Amino acid sequence: MAATASTLADYLARQMPIYGQISREHAMRLLLLHDSHPTREQVTQAIIIATARRQVARGHGGATLRRV
């Protein structure tokens, strides 16, 4: 079953480290290597959704992500 951007956002939030941050590219790789092999558009949407839900926060002008 194909993953939706919403389920990918939840997956990303669970994979984020408790302390520190990861690069946006690392987050994209995490999602692309997920079981369902999402498209790049779904990955970008997942990051946007996770940010809007305040599951993750952007830092350094959007270059890094951290857990909220």
Side-chain angles (χ1 to χ4, degrees), residues 41-58:
E41 290 80 18
Q42 285 177 309
V43 168
T44 302
Q45 290 171 357
I47 292 173
I48 293 168
I49 290 170
T51 304
R53 288 182 184 167
R54 298 190 185 270
Q55 292 173 315
V56 298
R58 293 181 181 202

Side-chain angles (χ1 to χ4, degrees), residues 14-49:
R14 288 191 307 269
Q15 297 302 313
M16 294 292 291
I18 294 173
Y19 299 107
Q21 51 198 10
I22 63 172
S23 69
R24 187 170 190 272
E25 288 78 23
H26 181 73
M28 291 181 83
R29 276 193 304 272
L30 261 171
L31 293 173
L32 286 171
L33 294 175
H34 186 54
D35 294 342
S36 61
H37 299 291
T39 64
R40 285 198 166 280
E41 290 80 18
Q42 285 177 309
V43 168
T44 302
Q45 290 171 357
I47 292 173
I48 293 168
I49 290 170

Side-chain angles (χ1 to χ4, degrees), residues 2-14:
T4 63
S6 179
T7 58
L8 289 173
D10 293 336
Y11 175 78
L12 176 63
R14 288 191 307 269

